[in-house]
Amino acid sequence: MQHVPWNLDGHSHQVRRVIRRLLPWLLAAHVGCVVEDQRTDEPWIWELPDHLPPPVVPDAHPLTVAKVELGRHLFYEERLSVTGDISCATCHEQARAFTDGRATSIGADGVPGFRNAMPLANLAWMPTLTWANPVLEELEAQTLVPLFLDAPLEMGAQFVIDEALAFFAEDAAWRQRFRAAFPDEDDPVTTASVVRGLAAFQRVLVSANSPYDRWLAGDRDALDPAALRGLELFASDRLGCATCHDGVLQTASVRHLDDPERRSRFENTGLYDLGEQGRYPSPNFGLYEFTRDPRDMGRHRVPSLRNIAVTAPYMHDGSVQDLDAVIDHYAAGGRTILEGPLAGVGADNPHKSPLVRGFEIEASERADLVAFLHALTDTSFLTDPRFADPDAPEAVPF
């Protein structure tokens, strides 16, 4: 595996500090004490369509139903925030494919963060898990960041984690959830258990029942004529969408049991050009933040397009408002900003991917392309009662 050096400046240093401080707790918890009366909890069974290969699950973090159910409760738990009024679900709403509809999410301190909240669907197949960090490869490590990162502050759990754990340990229902999820540990109510539970829940958020999925499964009527024409355009050399957004999840960044070594793709799409060697606005320098290689300026991870119609605004900084504007951006081969501090011609960025070359598209073709993108929406995923707030009337347990 290629190791990418960490940048010692800015918030990437904060991420490194959080992971170094807390990741050993996860390892220690995994090899912790075993109680005399061991039992094996019900394992998680993946129910996947034939066209979706099984994901890679770390051996150190096997999935069980109880662990996933604990994680679901924790995902909606506001006690894990410093203010006691936000949870993971605040920035990741199920109806929006676990995004929040904002350009950038707002932390517990009321201050907007730096990046657009990524959707949480199908994370088990993603080699890396954020817009630009090349080393956050497992959900257990990534989960530490929104919980404990200082700058930007997201949940601020570091200020309240002791009180939250004390509550979980004293409350009978919470204590039973932790015990069921981690039956082999003397003390299952720990920070490590919180992190592992949250990771387990996010790992099973599978979206694979869109019209496009049903079409892949053999239902020839699942896509209407407009969506079929849009799919043909999407895959065409003229538009080139599928060059980066290929495969079953519309991203080249997919890892599974048949291809466990697949790496994430990072591309500069010509969103900005601020001069000075194609600089992007601070602090969103993309992969450059971690490598300090000028060629990596503005390179961000190629995201999956699943449920794209409900996850606006788009791009790493939420600066593109709708699908028509996304198409405009790629048709122009990069975005032009005429005035203000971000003025520049993105198409001229020296680090822009050669795959973003522009194209011509007629109004009818644009409508067909949008129809295909809407066909990637899995409405059952957006309303699945197993993923809902466990206190909601419609919620059901796993």
Side-chain angles (χ1 to χ4, degrees), residues 123-240:
L123 298 184
W125 287 266
M126 301 301 148
T128 60
L129 297 161
T130 64
W131 279 109
N133 191 321
V135 299
L136 286 179
E137 298 176 328
E138 290 189 4
L139 279 162
E140 285 74 18
Q142 192 280 328
T143 298
L144 293 167
V145 176
L147 284 173
F148 298 108
L149 189 65
D150 293 319
L153 185 76
E154 295 189 40
M155 294 183 69
Q158 61 269 37
F159 302 109
V160 295
I161 189 63
D162 291 340
E163 292 84 352
L165 292 176
F167 172 82
F168 297 149
E170 294 171 3
D171 182 85
W174 275 107
R175 189 169 60 248
Q176 174 56 31
R177 292 183 194 114
F178 277 90
R179 172 60 63 197
F182 301 102
D184 299 337
E185 297 180 10
D186 283 340
D187 180 12
V189 185
T190 63
T191 300
S193 296
V194 169
V195 171
R196 292 155 67 194
L198 283 168
F201 174 65
Q202 293 174 82
R203 190 167 275 126
V204 305
L205 294 175
V206 178
S207 178
N209 191 37
S210 68
Y212 178 64
D213 286 297
R214 297 194 292 274
W215 182 81
L216 288 175
D219 182 357
R220 297 297 92 178
D221 296 324
L223 294 182
D224 62 25
L228 285 170
R229 293 191 299 268
L231 170 58
E232 185 175 357
L233 284 166
F234 185 88
S236 69
D237 291 336
R238 176 162 65 91
L239 268 61

Side-chain angles (χ1 to χ4, degrees), residues 213-288:
D213 286 297
R214 297 194 292 274
W215 182 81
L216 288 175
D219 182 357
R220 297 297 92 178
D221 296 324
L223 294 182
D224 62 25
L228 285 170
R229 293 191 299 268
L231 170 58
E232 185 175 357
L233 284 166
F234 185 88
S236 69
D237 291 336
R238 176 162 65 91
L239 268 61
C241 307
T243 307
C244 293
H245 296 285
D246 65 343
V248 68
L249 297 179
Q250 288 71 54
T251 174
S253 302
V254 170
R255 178 179 61 187
H256 50 80
L257 287 180
D258 296 333
D259 190 5
E261 301 303 318
R262 176 73 69 91
R263 311 303 298 164
S264 285
R265 281 267 299 274
F266 297 85
E267 301 287 354
N268 179 325
T269 63
L271 198 62
Y272 297 99
D273 184 7
L274 303 187
E276 301 177 23
Q277 297 298 310
R279 186 171 56 88
Y280 265 45
S282 178
N284 289 328
F285 296 141
L287 201 58
Y288 171 80

